[in-house]
């Protein structure tokens, strides 16, 4: 039984790809810092788990792009979804500057990952 291989990516790192990898790395860092910050507050396990999941997904998406993985479009799509969810959860703490900074970074990462998911899927 023959299995079709996913579409291959170009082996050339574009400025948009580099920007997305950078945003993923910054978002990962922001989520980890926010999780540490949340340890000093009364935060739900759901919030803490979301921050960890988002950080992990950002790292995975960045690493897939770095090695030109054929799974990058899917990982970027999943990363965009995870970042959007994390931003929405952080938005619940609108009076907290740290949570708002995290939400902003997550939205920024989500946007670049959405773009990258579509751009690399057709490359």
């Amino acid at each position: 039984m023959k299995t079709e291989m996913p579409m291959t990516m170009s082996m050339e790192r574009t400025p948009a790809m580099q920007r997305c990898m950078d945003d993923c790395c910054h978002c990962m860092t922001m989520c980890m810092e926010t999780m540490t910050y949340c340890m000093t507050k009364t935060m739900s396990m759901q919030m803490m788990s979301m921050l960890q999941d988002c950080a992990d997904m950002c790292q995975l998406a960045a690493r897939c792009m770095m090695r030109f993985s054929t799974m990058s479009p899917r990982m970027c799509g999943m990363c965009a979804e995870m970042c959007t969810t994390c931003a929405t959860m952080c938005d619940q703490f609108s009076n907290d500057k740290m949570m708002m900074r995290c939400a902003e970074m997550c939205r920024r990462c989500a946007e670049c990952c959405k773009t990258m998911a579509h751009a690399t899927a057709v490359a």
Side-chain angles (χ1 to χ4, degrees), residues 10 12 22-23 84-85 90:
S10 167
E12 181 180 328
D22 291 344
D23 281 350
T84 299
T85 301
C90 288

Side-chain angles (χ1 to χ4, degrees), residues 15-70:
M17 183 185 247
Q18 184 62 54
R19 204 168 26 257
C20 191
M21 287 187 294
D22 291 344
D23 281 350
C24 284
C25 290
H26 290 129
C27 191
M28 176 194 67
T29 301
M30 184 80 243
C31 286
M32 295 302 292
E33 289 173 357
T34 303
M35 193 167 63
T36 300
Y37 167 79
C38 287
M39 289 178 192
T40 67
K41 306 288 181 186
T42 305
M43 293 289 172
S44 69
M45 283 304 294
Q46 185 180 14
M47 184 75 240
M48 299 292 281
S49 290
M50 177 51 63
L51 289 164
Q52 182 67 60
D53 290 348
C54 190
D56 289 348
M57 192 69 236
C58 288
Q59 181 183 39
L60 180 58
R63 291 177 71 181
C64 284
M65 285 184 280
M66 286 175 195
R67 65 177 171 262
F68 300 100
S69 171
T70 57

